[in-house]
Amino acid sequence: MELPDVNIELIDGQIVQEPTPTYGHQKIVGNLLVEIANQLRQTHKGEIVTAPMDVFLGNHVVQPDLLFISTERLNIIQEGRIKDSPDVVFEIISPSNSFRDTKVKFDIYERFGVKEYFIVYPDDKTVVKYVLSNGKFHEEYREIGFVKSHAMACEVNF
């Protein structure tokens, strides 16, 4: 039996299906995970988790590619799920999810108080970092293959 190659999220009460990620997408996720996790093991600032992991935000259930929860907020992990906004979210752009990640989920993460939002464009490894200030995301930088997070207290090249 062949299973469908789709990921499912619930956004604004609508079930959203998209194709599973490509190898290139997952390679970036893996590289970021390894580099960030190595630093977090030393600093004990919190936990980094990859998709699929349900994050419940109001009437939305999203699955960021990577998410970080600070040590002092680990209580938002309840019954094996994330029941509030992670401190940091990463989305790696795919052709099928570009609008959803850059507009729809951008608005959700902003509204629910994610402190830092990283959008990664895999073709050239451009990273756009948004920081929440006064309830709104503001672009902090655009870099190639570089992530600097105040919330995670880390810097990585990937």
Side-chain angles (χ1 to χ4, degrees):
M1 177 168 103
E2 190 169 323
L3 297 175
D5 290 332
V6 294
N7 281 340
I8 297 174
E9 296 179 298
L10 181 65
I11 298 176
D12 289 326
Q14 300 291 317
I15 294 175
V16 177
Q17 295 182 348
E18 63 182 47
T20 56
T22 63
Y23 171 80
H25 178 281
Q26 291 304 92
K27 187 172 180 181
I28 289 174
V29 170
N31 289 343
L32 284 168
L33 175 66
V34 167
E35 294 296 325
I36 294 168
N38 284 338
Q39 291 187 35
L40 291 175
R41 267 190 223 99
Q42 295 176 25
T43 64
H44 307 287
K45 293 287 186 183
E47 300 286 333
I48 187 98
V49 180
T50 64
M53 173 55 58
D54 290 338
V55 176
F56 293 83
L57 301 172
N59 66 339
H60 311 288
V61 182
V62 294
Q63 293 186 352
D65 291 314
L66 281 167
L67 62 91
F68 167 80
I69 303 168
S70 62
T71 301
E72 51 275 351
R73 296 188 64 242
L74 290 175
N75 64 329
I76 70 171
I77 303 170
Q78 300 172 10
E79 301 167 6
R81 304 284 182 254
I82 312 300
K83 302 290 180 134
D84 199 353
S85 296
D87 295 281
V88 179
V89 167
F90 289 81
E91 295 286 4
I92 291 48
I93 298 299
S94 296
S96 65
N97 70 7
S98 180
F99 177 77
R100 191 165 32 262
D101 287 346
T102 60
K103 178 63 179 136
V104 177
K105 289 170 90 174
F106 181 100
D107 292 344
I108 292 168
Y109 296 147
E110 181 180 69
R111 187 172 357 130
F112 284 90
V114 171
K115 295 175 186 173
E116 296 176 347
Y117 182 29
F118 292 89
I119 298 177
V120 181
Y121 295 86
D123 290 343
D124 64 358
K125 293 185 177 179
T126 296
V127 177
V128 183
K129 178 185 179 185
Y130 296 93
V131 177
L132 193 68
S133 176
N134 298 319
K136 293 287 182 192
F137 277 139
H138 302 278
E139 185 177 320
E140 184 171 291
Y141 69 74
R142 287 176 186 254
E143 294 283 342
I144 304 296
F146 177 73
V147 168
K148 180 176 182 177
S149 170
H150 301 291
M152 295 186 295
C154 73
E155 289 184 20
V156 299
N157 291 298
F158 65 97

